[in-house]
Amino acid sequence: MQFKTVLRAATAAVAIASIATPAFAQEEAAPESDRTLETVVTLGTRVANRSALDTAVAVDVVSSATLEKIGIGELNQALSVQLPSFNFPRPALNDGTDSVRPATLRGLGPDQTLVLVNGKRRHMASLVNVNGSIGRGTSAVDLNTIPTFAVSAIEVLRDGASAQYGSDAIAGVINVNLREAAEGGAAEVSYGWRETEYTVPVGTPPAGVTVPPGGEISRERSDGHVVTLSGWKGFQLGQDGYLTVTGEYKDQQHSERSGFDVRPNYPALPGGGVDPREAVINRFNAWTGEPELEQVTLFGNAGYNLENGVELYGWASYQDRDTTSAGFYRRALDARNVVEIYPNGFLPLISPETTDASLAGGARFELAGWDMDTSVVYGSNEMQFTIENTLNRSIGPSSKTSFDAGGFKYSQVVANLSAVKGFAVEGLCS
């Protein structure tokens, strides 16, 4: 099949004005070279205030302004546009993997990339990818649980990551720095859809079905409509603190890019005749494409500086994601079908509900000349499956058509205590 897809989108954004404290010029201006602001990173180094150019290995930095300009609402997809080594495939007909899609860095497994939020380990999704998709047999962090508006910058370390961060960082490390704002804000409304033209080779159609000359069918599809509402707002906490709250709502319709099903759908009539319904049944009967999705996400990031120099910080997130994708079509003559319930066959629908939450708190302070950092981070991800438009063949015509298929849950607690101090070594420093 040959595809030509065009994404259509419209975006409206508004920024909430913030009041900034005026800066007063010094009597003697610093040289231009000294006034150049370099991007400071925390990834790949234990030294504070180190720029991306001063680290031992290269660190890619993707700013929030860059993420917002490309107009992509999914954080995983936005990173795949900005980072050539980051791939975010979009599998279809892969059960729960249609809802929680794994991403890869440098072509390695999804679970070989360490994902951090503000330098702290992010929890993984509860789903283990067991179908024929990239990342089979692995469970990965779902970056799409983090709204783009909640991000200040993203740091990506590839080379030498496992030497500093361990064996689960063989592919690299992705550190998501959250937005820190005590004032200001922004809101955005985006709407888009997918326009696709493609040709489908038909092959040998069943008896009673006619196809255009040439053995191909041309299709034009306009579907997969997406509406996203998102915004963030900064609040002042006391004299020297901030609280940044981000919210996002996303509603997406499914898209369909299936091929032409040439298989007979109905049993042959007595005497070997062809059932006339073969000529009118819809033969584009697979949901090969984007799933239906309704998603609500909340993210909060806070910090406060105490008078004794202690810096308190913390964040919390919550996401509820309802998704509907499809399995493989069951024909009317399929042994897995009950014709009394589905005389024309059926397309089973897989509808997982994913609930993701995190909570973190910590403090940074100085102790006897050491820079101390202590924190506790909790994360949880749960998927509950409902199978709709289906049946239990063993029960027969009395079978119900919707089932609770169970689910998975994963939770993680990480306690951290780190201490950093620099020492002058004669002959190794100036």
Side-chain angles (χ1 to χ4, degrees):
M1 291 184 284
Q2 297 179 347
F3 289 84
K4 178 182 179 182
T5 304
V6 179
L7 299 182
R8 306 290 187 186
T11 302
V14 58
I16 301 174
S18 62
I19 301 175
T21 302
F24 297 93
Q26 298 179 353
E27 294 181 359
E28 182 178 354
E32 183 66 28
S33 59
D34 295 339
R35 289 188 285 116
T36 301
L37 179 64
E38 294 182 345
T39 301
V40 177
V41 299
T42 59
L43 204 60
T45 176
R46 297 295 186 188
V47 181
N49 298 324
R50 174 154 291 186
S51 73
L53 297 179
D54 292 335
T55 55
V57 292
V59 177
D60 293 324
V61 180
V62 182
S63 66
S64 59
T66 301
L67 293 173
E68 293 168 9
K69 287 178 181 177
I70 61 178
I72 297 176
E74 290 180 291
L75 190 56
N76 265 326
Q77 184 68 16
L79 284 179
S80 70
V81 173
Q82 291 296 315
L83 304 173
S85 60
F86 188 88
N87 296 305
F88 180 53
R90 311 185 76 84
L93 301 177
N94 277 279
D95 293 351
T97 307
D98 292 1
S99 303
V100 180
R101 291 166 163 171
T104 64
L105 187 63
R106 303 173 67 190
L108 299 177
D111 60 345
Q112 293 178 321
T113 299
L114 175 61
V115 177
L116 309 175
V117 173
N118 284 349
K120 312 301 179 184
R121 182 184 295 265
R122 180 75 172 175
H123 63 279
M124 296 185 296
S126 58
L127 175 71
V128 178
N129 300 289
V130 297
N131 295 289
S133 64
I134 289 179
R136 178 179 172 86
T138 68
S139 178
V141 174
D142 185 5
L143 282 173
N144 285 341
T145 58
I146 305 175
T148 303
F149 262 178
V151 176
S152 172
I154 296 178
E155 304 164 356
V156 182
L157 173 66
R158 299 187 301 272
D159 298 328
S162 60
Q164 182 171 336
Y165 292 93
S167 59
D168 55 350
I170 293 175
V173 183
I174 297 176
N175 182 34
V176 180
N177 291 311
L178 299 177
R179 188 187 299 272
E180 301 177 359
E183 56 188 6
E188 181 179 272
V189 179
S190 66
Y191 173 74
W193 67 96
R194 297 164 176 84
E195 298 276 355
T196 304
E197 299 177 9
Y198 68 103
T199 57
V200 181
V202 174
T204 303
V209 177
T210 59
V211 297
E216 291 184 342
I217 295 179
S218 297
R219 300 193 77 200
E220 295 183 4
R221 297 288 299 167
S222 177
D223 55 12
H225 297 250
V226 185
V227 176
T228 305
L229 310 176
S230 55
W232 70 271
K233 182 69 177 73
F235 300 93
Q236 183 78 35
L237 287 184
Q239 295 296 322
D240 197 10
Y242 67 88
L243 170 63
T244 308
V245 179
T246 305
E248 182 180 85
Y249 172 79
K250 182 177 181 180
D251 184 46
Q252 173 180 283
Q253 299 178 12
H254 84 276
S255 61
E256 180 264 298
R257 303 292 182 271
S258 59
F260 189 84
D261 190 351
V262 299
R263 301 172 299 171
N265 190 65
Y266 301 96
L269 297 177
V274 177
D275 194 309
R277 292 176 294 177
E278 295 281 10
V280 296
I281 189 71
N282 177 27
R283 297 193 174 274
F284 294 98
N285 50 32
W287 277 16
T288 307
E290 298 292 309
E292 288 184 2
L293 181 145
E294 186 175 18
Q295 178 177 287
V296 177
T297 311
L298 294 174
F299 221 110
N301 184 38
Y304 194 87
N305 295 325
L306 300 178
E307 293 181 356
N308 58 2
V310 176
E311 177 188 354
L312 303 178
Y313 62 86
W315 60 89
S317 68
Y318 176 83
Q319 182 183 86
D320 183 79
R321 180 188 301 170
D322 292 328
T323 314
T324 300
S325 58
F328 292 102
Y329 176 73
R330 271 64 161 169
R331 296 175 293 164
L333 55 75
D334 196 308
R336 295 168 292 181
N337 183 39
V338 176
V339 293
E340 290 84 356
I341 301 177
Y342 298 111
N344 297 311
F346 66 95
L347 181 69
L349 301 179
I350 305 167
S351 301
E353 180 180 0
T354 306
T355 304
D356 187 277
S358 70
L359 180 64
R364 299 185 185 96
F365 54 94
E366 184 179 344
L367 180 64
W370 291 80
D371 294 327
M372 308 295 295
D373 187 344
T374 180
S375 64
V376 176
V377 182
Y378 168 78
S380 172
N381 184 274
E382 182 178 5
M383 293 186 71
Q384 293 294 329
F385 284 84
T386 300
I387 311 301
E388 303 171 334
N389 197 46
T390 186
L391 52 78
N392 187 326
R393 180 66 179 82
S394 62
I395 296 178
S398 61
S399 170
K400 60 180 184 179
T401 58
S402 178
F403 297 87
D404 181 351
F408 318 99
K409 185 175 183 179
Y410 175 85
S411 60
Q412 172 182 289
V413 177
V414 177
N416 170 74
L417 175 62
S418 64
V420 178
K421 183 177 181 179
F423 295 91
V425 180
E426 186 176 355
L428 297 180
C429 62
S430 56

